[in-house]
Amino acid sequence: MRRNRNIKILATLGPASSTREAIAALFAAGADVFRINMSHTRHHLLRELVGHVRAIEAETGRPIGILADLQGPKLRIGAFAGGPVTLTPGDVFTLHLDPVPGDANGVTLPHREILEALRPGARLLLDDGRISLKVTEASPTRAVTVVEIGGRLSDRKGVNVPDTQLPIPALTEKDRADLSAAIEADVDWIALSFVQTAADVAEAKKLVMGRAGVMAKIEKPQAVAQLDAILEVADGIMIARGDLGVELPLEDVPGRQKQINRAARRAGKPVVVATQMLESMIEKPAPTRAEVSDVATAVFEGADAVMLSAESAAGAWPAEAVATMNRIAERVEGEAFYRSIVDAQRAEPEATAADAITAAAHQIAENLNVAAIVTYTASGATAIRASRERPNVPVLAISPVLKTARRLAIAWGLHCLTVEEPRDLDGIVDQACRMAWREGFAKPGQRVIVICGVPLGTPGATNLLRIALVGRSWD
């Protein structure tokens, strides 16, 4: 099933989309990769959802990616003895390590790590940033704060600490168990929450051991500050704008989105724009104009994928949300300004043979008007480099490794296919021409560019470019 767009759609599965029929409808509407949120998914349901996706994959013959999104540490206050309280700006409010009956004067914060890291002047944000506190006194057992932004506060609301790097690992015991279950279920990507440093990503990669890609969720200011180091370690990036918008001023989020997207493109790492993209479609059959513009901005930026969360997981219109996102992406990529905007953001190739080959393929494709670029890749490295170039012709990623094809399903512009392992270079060229013809990208008499690495099967050894003629049909 060929998509008429380059950007990919990542759809979250949930109560509204947990049956095989519902998942098939999401795929038919345009979903390329499915996200399973481990915050709400038990292991038996994880295995069931993966089974449904794999069955649809077998029926359609198109590799489908699956991403398991780990919950990460959940930092919450305690409970209030007499029910919700109302905080007023200027009030003194104390957070205690020891259990105390919460009231308008204070509440338990059962996280020693936070209290030990806080310093006077630091901010604490409660209930998704609706309430803001400023620390005046700090000790390992309590923090005295002044209310800057008040409001109603109830039991066990979340805590964000935007100004302080916390000595809290990104992986909790629950995350480790969920990661193990996800790898055993054979997912293709692991999304890591609460990333603060590159070391957080490195720890997850040690546990994954190459069995899936590790995607770092950028949702904290500390991660933005260490973005380059995180990009060196991570296999992909997710711009988690929900939490990022809590810990940063809202007006800063669009600029950080562009910064992260362009840095990921320069690094050649897939980047996903996530959170509240078509939020109103949780309840309504059509998005707002502002939401359409938000999705369009991500497409114009050349992001690899855009993501639906509650819209497809728990909304009343899951398939319609995917179809709407698909239509927006197709229309934007057909706009006269699209190609010039994407090209203007193109990164200069690095001084490597692989980058030189893929950059040359991009230029030759423009000069010779070829039908497609076909990458042969076992590890995925060749195809990712071709995707990084954002060429103006279709890119087929053919691989003898099904898991590689599934993982590549998230990358911009890649039409992924599995093939039998060729015996030699002529076999690769024959497969490339045959697949380009079979998938409707090239007709007999048209040319395609084939790029690969020789010797065959050497990861990251992209060093060969060949222009091939599609000489016949394979009827």
Side-chain angles (χ1 to χ4, degrees), residues 423-466:
R423 289 177 295 182
D424 51 28
L425 179 59
D426 288 340
I428 290 177
V429 173
D430 183 68
Q431 284 180 338
C433 293
R434 184 169 69 252
M435 290 300 172
W437 168 83
R438 192 191 77 179
E439 298 295 311
F441 291 99
K443 299 176 181 178
Q446 292 185 308
R447 289 173 292 187
V448 297
I449 294 172
V450 183
I451 56 178
C452 62
V454 179
L456 300 181
T458 305
T462 309
N463 58 8
L464 187 143
L465 181 153
R466 182 164 170 178

Side-chain angles (χ1 to χ4, degrees), residues 13 63 88 94-95 124 148 156 175 180 192 226 237 270 279 293 304 329 337 366-367 428 435 447 452 457 464-465:
L13 301 179
T88 303
T94 304
L95 300 162
L124 286 163
E148 291 188 318
R156 298 179 184 85
D175 293 328
S180 179
L192 183 64
Q226 299 198 37
I237 294 291
E279 186 86 351
S293 293
D304 288 86
F337 302 113
E366 292 182 348
N367 293 342
I428 290 177
M435 290 300 172
R447 289 173 292 187
C452 62
L464 187 143
L465 181 153

Side-chain angles (χ1 to χ4, degrees), residues 324-345:
T324 298
M325 188 168 270
N326 183 73
R327 289 197 303 274
I328 296 168
E330 288 183 351
R331 180 60 60 88
V332 170
E333 290 187 6
E335 290 290 337
F337 302 113
Y338 171 74
R339 176 45 56 181
S340 62
I341 293 172
V342 169
D343 287 346
Q345 301 173 31

Side-chain angles (χ1 to χ4, degrees), residues 5-359:
R5 54 176 159 77
N6 292 306
I7 198 167
K8 302 300 181 67
I9 295 175
L10 202 163
T12 302
L13 301 179
S17 53
S18 58
T19 66
R20 180 169 168 176
E21 292 74 21
I23 298 171
L26 295 183
F27 178 77
D32 303 289
V33 180
F34 291 102
R35 169 179 176 255
I36 300 174
N37 187 351
M38 298 310 298
S39 298
H40 310 297
T41 307
R42 294 183 181 272
H43 295 175
H44 70 88
L45 180 56
L46 165 71
R47 293 189 290 271
E48 184 178 315
L49 293 173
V50 171
H52 290 332
V53 174
R54 297 308 184 214
I56 294 164
E57 178 183 75
E59 290 174 0
T60 60
R62 176 172 178 175
I64 303 173
I66 301 176
L67 178 145
D69 195 336
L70 303 182
Q71 176 178 286
K74 289 299 178 185
L75 309 178
R76 300 184 184 279
I77 60 172
F80 294 92
V85 301
T86 299
L87 304 184
T88 303
D91 286 352
V92 175
F93 191 74
T94 304
L95 300 162
H96 303 271
L97 179 64
D98 296 330
V100 297
D103 56 25
N105 296 312
V107 71
T108 299
L109 179 61
H111 300 285
R112 180 181 291 275
E113 302 94 333
I114 295 179
L115 293 170
E116 290 179 343
L118 288 176
R119 298 291 181 269
R123 288 178 300 149
L124 286 163
L125 305 177
L126 309 181
D127 193 13
D128 287 336
R130 294 180 178 89
I131 291 175
S132 178
L133 311 175
K134 188 170 186 177
V135 177
T136 58
E137 299 177 31
S139 77
T141 58
R142 72 171 192 160
V144 180
T145 72
V146 173
V147 178
E148 291 188 318
I149 301 174
R152 184 176 181 272
L153 184 62
S154 57
D155 296 350
R156 298 179 184 85
K157 290 301 181 181
V159 179
N160 292 84
V161 192
D163 306 325
T164 307
Q165 184 162 320
L166 299 175
I168 297 175
L171 288 165
T172 66
E173 289 305 312
K174 169 180 164 51
D175 293 328
R176 291 173 181 272
D178 290 345
L179 187 153
S180 179
I183 293 297
E184 186 177 338
D186 201 25
V187 306
D188 308 295
W189 287 91
I190 298 292
L192 183 64
S193 300
F194 208 83
V195 172
Q196 297 184 93
T197 68
D200 294 327
V201 184
E203 182 182 5
K205 293 197 73 171
K206 286 180 182 177
L207 296 174
V208 172
M209 294 190 298
R211 293 170 291 178
V214 174
M215 181 169 290
K217 294 170 66 176
I218 307 300
E219 54 191 352
K220 297 182 70 62
Q222 294 80 8
V224 177
Q226 299 198 37
L227 181 60
D228 289 342
I230 290 170
L231 277 167
E232 286 187 15
V233 182
D235 300 305
I237 294 291
M238 180 184 292
I239 309 173
R241 304 180 305 172
D243 284 319
L244 195 60
V246 171
E247 300 211 3
L248 286 175
L250 288 174
E251 61 271 20
D252 286 354
V253 175
R256 300 294 73 72
Q257 177 175 323
K258 288 185 180 295
Q259 174 194 351
I260 297 165
N261 181 77
R262 294 189 182 190
R265 282 189 57 187
R266 284 196 304 272
K269 304 291 178 76
V271 58
V272 179
V273 179
T275 319
Q276 298 177 329
M277 302 215 76
L278 297 177
E279 186 86 351
S280 63
M281 290 194 74
I282 296 172
E283 298 178 351
K284 299 178 181 179
T288 66
R289 277 67 173 171
E291 288 167 343
V292 172
S293 293
D294 184 35
V295 175
T297 295
V299 180
F300 275 124
E301 285 178 356
D304 288 86
V306 282
M307 190 178 97
L308 295 168
S309 298
E311 301 97 325
S312 59
W317 311 90
E320 289 80 359
V322 174
T324 298
M325 188 168 270
N326 183 73
R327 289 197 303 274
I328 296 168
E330 288 183 351
R331 180 60 60 88
V332 170
E333 290 187 6
E335 290 290 337
F337 302 113
Y338 171 74
R339 176 45 56 181
S340 62
I341 293 172
V342 169
D343 287 346
Q345 301 173 31
R346 180 173 173 237
E348 288 298 317
E350 297 178 5
T352 66
D355 270 38
I357 290 290
T358 51

Side-chain angles (χ1 to χ4, degrees), residues 357-370:
I357 290 290
T358 51
H362 183 170
Q363 184 172 355
I364 293 169
E366 292 182 348
N367 293 342
L368 296 186
N369 193 28
V370 301

